[in-house]
Amino acid sequence: MSRRNDLIRQLIASDKFGKDKEQEQKFLMATADLILTDLISICINGFERKGAGSLVINLLNDSTTYMDGNAIEFDLRIAEREEDRDVLEFLRGLLEEIDENDWSKDVLITLISDVGTRTFAVEAGRSQESLRAFAEELSG
């Protein structure tokens, strides 16, 4: 299992109380911050190489991939052919999120788990200047 999946499971399933739980939560939050910074960097690299898309983290099969519009369109055709309504709904919603995102400041991270799927617009933070410059280049 990946370190980010481990962290997410630990964050939601702590069995500690009091001061121990407080210390554990501080440690896990610091670790989560480092991981989020890594994920934002992966998103920016994906955006710069492939264009607008989302980093998709699938907790069900422990996979992570950056999906740009071309990859999503390819998967949409497969889902249409297989008549997979759940995948179609997910991919169409993801394309909508990509179209509506403010690429000058945010990247997209999508989490897939047994309780559902959700896409988050995450501020690029210190990496924002690089993201803004590339977004301006693309928009002409």
Side-chain angles (χ1 to χ4, degrees):
M1 182 170 294
S2 71
R3 67 183 175 133
R4 78 181 145 260
N5 287 358
D6 251 357
L7 174 66
I8 290 169
R9 292 189 200 306
Q10 287 175 28
L11 282 171
I12 60 174
S14 175
D15 61 353
K16 296 186 179 179
F17 297 94
K19 232 176 190 7
D20 286 342
K21 184 169 183 133
E22 241 177 76
Q23 285 299 101
E24 179 184 56
Q25 286 179 333
K26 285 179 185 177
F27 173 76
L28 291 173
M29 288 307 293
T31 304
D33 187 43
L34 290 172
I35 292 170
L36 183 58
T37 300
D38 287 347
L39 295 176
I40 290 169
S41 293
I42 293 168
C43 288
I44 290 172
N45 290 336
F47 179 75
E48 289 174 348
R49 284 193 337 253
K50 298 180 177 183
S54 178
L55 181 65
V56 179
I57 302 168
N58 188 331
L59 299 174
L60 298 174
N61 66 12
D62 200 22
S63 67
T64 302
T65 188
Y66 185 84
M67 292 186 74
D68 66 345
N70 291 330
I72 295 169
E73 291 289 342
F74 179 82
D75 285 355
L76 263 172
R77 286 190 295 276
I78 292 171
E80 286 170 348
R81 189 170 47 243
E82 294 178 0
E83 298 179 2
D84 189 331
R85 291 182 184 179
D86 291 336
V87 172
L88 284 169
E89 182 180 330
F90 160 65
L91 292 172
R92 287 179 180 143
L94 185 55
L95 279 175
E96 189 175 314
E97 293 271 356
I98 290 168
D99 288 343
E100 294 173 358
N101 189 49
D102 180 354
W103 292 102
S104 67
K105 65 178 186 138
D106 295 332
V107 294
L108 295 178
I109 298 175
T110 301
L111 294 176
I112 300 171
S113 75
D114 58 349
V115 294
T117 301
R118 182 155 179 214
T119 299
F120 300 89
V122 180
E123 190 171 345
R126 284 178 254 128
S127 304
Q128 200 168 350
E129 287 306 314
S130 169
L131 183 63
R132 186 176 295 123
F134 195 73
E136 285 173 9
E137 251 181 65
L138 286 178
S139 62

